[in-house]
Amino acid sequence: MKKLLFVCVFVTFVCCAFGQGTKFLDGERWSNVLKKAQEEKRMIFMDCYTSWCGPCKGLAQNVFPQKKVGDFLNSNFVCCKYDMEKGEGIELYKKYKSDIPGFPTMLVINPADESIIHKVVGYTEPDALIAALQDGLDGKTLAVFQKRYNAGERSLGLIKDYCKALDVAYDQDTKERVIRGYIESMPLDSLKNKELLEMYLPYLNNVYAPQYEYVMKNLDTYQRKLNVNRYDVESRLLRAMSDAVRDIVNTTLKNTDADTLLLMRERGETLKKMLQGANVKGFNELNAKLAINDVRMKGDIMALDAILEADKVLQATRDEYSFRPDMYKYMIEFADRKTQKDIIKKYLAMMQQKQDQADERSNGKVNLFTENAYDILAIGYYRLGDKKKSEEYAKKYDERYKLRLVDMKGLFKDEKVKAQIDEEYKQAIENLYAKIGLKSK
């Protein structure tokens, strides 16, 4: 009897909570939806979904059936929903594709001219969805904010409202441009305002911008006076600087163009001045990397070998994933094979050991993250005169690249991107085979 009573109470609760949910016109002809909305003088709420979309199913099962959501949507909108890959939805997707960054996307449409006035992207909890749509009804729509912004208004209130609407619309690219444009048009000392600083921090990734150096020099002030989380700011500063240093190293490794190398040297000098005067954890290592790369750019193999040997003890650089192997590869490829053969052997042995260890860890499985240094091993053995081993490793590099190619292309749907990946593979193999005197297929 108690179990029966519990079931009855539970069913009653579910019916109250979900039984009066959102009333959708499901897959209805678009012309009929427009006519109904125009006659009732209400906006259209359109749920754009697909059959394979998990978050879409979450909305359908957990959000739209709730009474409070239904009450709000049913009283304010003509509600419709379409599978964007079926029936009427196919044409509607073509019509509104630029406003649908992903699924689910919920559009608020003016039936008078079929224009988008507001949108909410992604799975959204009931209260958050109601609040976002209420903003739209109150005139706080993405379209309104965009119009004011494009007309030249730059008040902080507008910037905040516009960014909030962009968050709801999941348009992070536009949000970044808006915040960057606003902060970078302000005096540097505006970044002493905690609200503006925290607004800008996610986009603190251009080390050459004056805002970056300003934040870096005022770390102590932020920590003491604004009670800002120093670790968070330092992490962002370090991440941006690491990317900038890596770009200089990678560009100078791949380019011989004089103008490009000059530009990289100038950037390197700029960064070294910043690194040497900053109290940011991790900056000393980045300064050491630039110093080592300067030696490498001069082509002084003996000096580079000496500094790398010293660094084994000093541990000024600890990046065994990229930076040190790049230096080892340079030594293998460019040390003089007559007078510096021992240097080639030393760094080739180090790269061989690194590859063997990676192969042991992978246990024969190859994916995007599997080490593939067989190209530099092929070059090294060729330079030492072991053409048989060089050819064997070149073929291994080719085979492993092909296996990784499957995973790389699987990440993209765009055929142009896939074609570019194929072209990069072809070029890499041709370059390797040319270096070891083999004909590519």
Side-chain angles (χ1 to χ4, degrees):
M1 188 66 181
K2 286 183 178 179
K3 284 186 178 180
L4 181 60
L5 180 61
F6 172 78
V7 171
C8 291
V9 171
F10 179 76
V11 170
T12 301
F13 171 78
V14 170
C15 289
C16 290
F18 292 92
Q20 299 176 22
T22 310
K23 297 174 183 176
F24 282 107
L25 297 172
D26 190 354
E28 180 65 57
R29 287 180 65 85
W30 181 237
S31 58
N32 293 341
V33 175
L34 284 171
K35 183 179 178 182
K36 181 177 175 63
Q38 288 165 358
E39 289 174 351
E40 297 180 8
K41 296 181 180 179
R42 288 192 286 169
M43 295 293 176
I44 296 170
F45 174 85
M46 183 197 291
D47 174 28
C48 306
Y49 71 95
T50 64
S51 60
W52 46 263
C53 166
C56 301
K57 294 174 183 176
L59 283 174
Q61 294 169 4
N62 305 321
V63 178
F64 294 139
Q66 291 202 20
K67 183 178 185 302
K68 61 183 175 181
V69 176
D71 287 347
F72 178 82
L73 290 175
N74 297 334
S75 61
N76 290 291
F77 302 96
V78 169
C79 300
C80 58
K81 65 178 184 176
Y82 296 93
D83 185 329
M84 294 284 106
E85 297 178 335
K86 296 178 182 177
E88 195 88 355
I90 296 173
E91 290 304 313
L92 286 170
Y93 181 66
K94 290 178 183 177
K95 182 182 182 70
Y96 293 114
K97 185 175 181 179
S98 62
D99 287 292
I100 303 175
F103 302 105
T105 292
M106 292 156 277
L107 302 177
V108 176
I109 301 171
N110 185 342
D113 58 6
E114 301 180 56
S115 62
I116 305 295
I117 64 168
H118 204 46
K119 64 181 174 181
V120 181
V121 179
Y123 180 87
T124 310
E125 294 293 345
D127 290 339
L129 177 60
I130 291 171
L133 293 172
Q134 185 62 60
D135 280 346
L137 293 174
D138 292 340
K140 299 177 182 178
T141 68
L142 183 59
V144 167
F145 296 140
Q146 189 171 40
K147 185 176 181 180
R148 288 168 58 189
Y149 184 83
N150 290 341
E153 184 181 340
R154 292 296 185 273
S155 66
L156 179 57
L158 171 63
I159 297 300
K160 290 163 68 174
D161 285 340
Y162 189 18
C163 288
K164 180 182 176 183
L166 289 167
D167 276 334
V168 170
Y170 208 69
D171 189 347
Q172 296 304 308
D173 289 342
T174 301
K175 180 183 176 182
E176 179 175 351
R177 287 197 299 273
V178 168
I179 291 178
R180 277 189 179 282
Y182 179 72
I183 297 296
E184 291 172 6
S185 69
M186 303 279 281
L188 283 175
D189 62 4
S190 67
L191 286 170
K192 286 184 178 177
N193 179 299
K194 187 175 182 180
E195 182 180 22
L196 296 183
L197 173 67
E198 291 179 342
M199 183 187 293
Y200 189 64
L201 278 179
Y203 313 111
L204 191 70
N205 50 24
N206 179 9
V207 299
Y208 303 104
Q211 288 78 14
Y212 179 94
E213 188 168 9
Y214 185 86
V215 171
M216 182 186 73
K217 289 181 176 179
N218 284 278
L219 263 176
D220 292 337
T221 301
Y222 292 142
Q223 184 178 13
R224 288 196 315 268
K225 295 185 178 180
L226 300 184
N227 197 28
V228 170
N229 185 327
R230 184 184 181 108
Y231 175 79
D232 179 48
V233 182
E234 277 193 318
S235 297
R236 295 178 187 279
L237 290 167
L238 179 60
R239 192 179 305 124
M241 186 63 77
S242 296
D243 289 344
V245 169
R246 188 181 302 112
D247 178 63
I248 290 173
V249 174
N250 289 345
T251 301
T252 55
L253 280 166
K254 295 174 183 176
N255 279 275
T256 56
D257 176 71
D259 290 338
T260 301
L261 293 176
L262 177 61
L263 175 62
M264 291 299 108
R265 285 192 182 95
E266 290 172 350
R267 287 185 176 179
E269 291 305 313
T270 298
L271 296 191
K272 279 189 281 186
K273 289 176 183 176
M274 294 170 66
L275 289 165
Q276 291 163 5
N279 183 24
V280 179
K281 188 175 181 181
F283 272 22
N284 287 337
E285 181 173 358
L286 296 178
N287 195 34
K289 286 182 178 180
L290 285 175
I292 292 172
N293 193 58
D294 282 347
V295 174
R296 183 199 61 76
M297 287 177 69
K298 292 174 183 176
D300 191 336
I301 296 294
M302 297 304 292
L304 183 57
D305 177 44
I307 199 170
L308 289 174
E309 280 294 326
D311 196 34
K312 289 180 181 178
V313 178
L314 298 173
Q315 292 287 297
T317 64
R318 297 165 293 167
D319 186 0
E320 287 292 352
Y321 175 73
S322 176
F323 180 76
R324 285 187 180 182
D326 282 342
M327 296 300 111
Y328 302 161
K329 290 174 185 178
Y330 178 85
M331 302 288 272
I332 291 167
E333 189 165 359
F334 294 103
D336 187 281
R337 69 168 109 188
K338 291 181 179 179
T339 62
Q340 298 170 336
K341 198 170 186 177
D342 287 343
I343 289 178
I344 298 174
K345 286 181 178 179
K346 177 171 69 173
Y347 290 104
L348 182 60
M350 292 169 71
M351 291 301 295
Q352 180 77 68
Q353 183 183 28
K354 188 173 184 291
Q355 183 64 62
D356 291 344
Q357 290 171 345
D359 288 348
E360 188 176 345
R361 286 194 302 271
S362 66
N363 198 25
K365 296 178 181 178
V366 178
N367 57 42
L368 280 176
F369 306 103
T370 306
E371 182 78 24
N372 189 15
Y374 283 110
D375 56 339
I376 196 63
L377 294 178
I379 291 170
Y381 284 109
Y382 174 78
R383 301 200 74 224
L384 291 176
D386 191 339
K387 294 185 179 181
K388 183 179 179 181
K389 203 161 191 176
S390 173
E391 185 174 344
E392 175 192 338
Y393 280 170
K395 289 178 179 178
K396 266 194 173 185
Y397 176 75
D398 192 349
E399 290 167 2
R400 182 160 292 190
Y401 201 142
K402 284 178 182 175
L403 290 172
R404 295 173 68 184
L405 208 61
V406 175
D407 285 345
M408 278 190 279
K409 291 167 71 174
L411 296 174
F412 303 96
K413 292 184 179 180
D414 191 326
E415 292 302 320
K416 289 183 179 179
V417 175
K418 291 182 179 182
Q420 183 180 346
I421 292 171
D422 283 331
E423 183 58 34
E424 288 174 356
Y425 155 74
K426 181 182 176 183
Q427 194 64 51
I429 298 302
E430 286 181 353
N431 289 342
L432 173 59
Y433 278 34
K435 287 177 180 179
I436 63 174
L438 288 177
K439 289 183 179 180
S440 59
K441 299 175 183 178

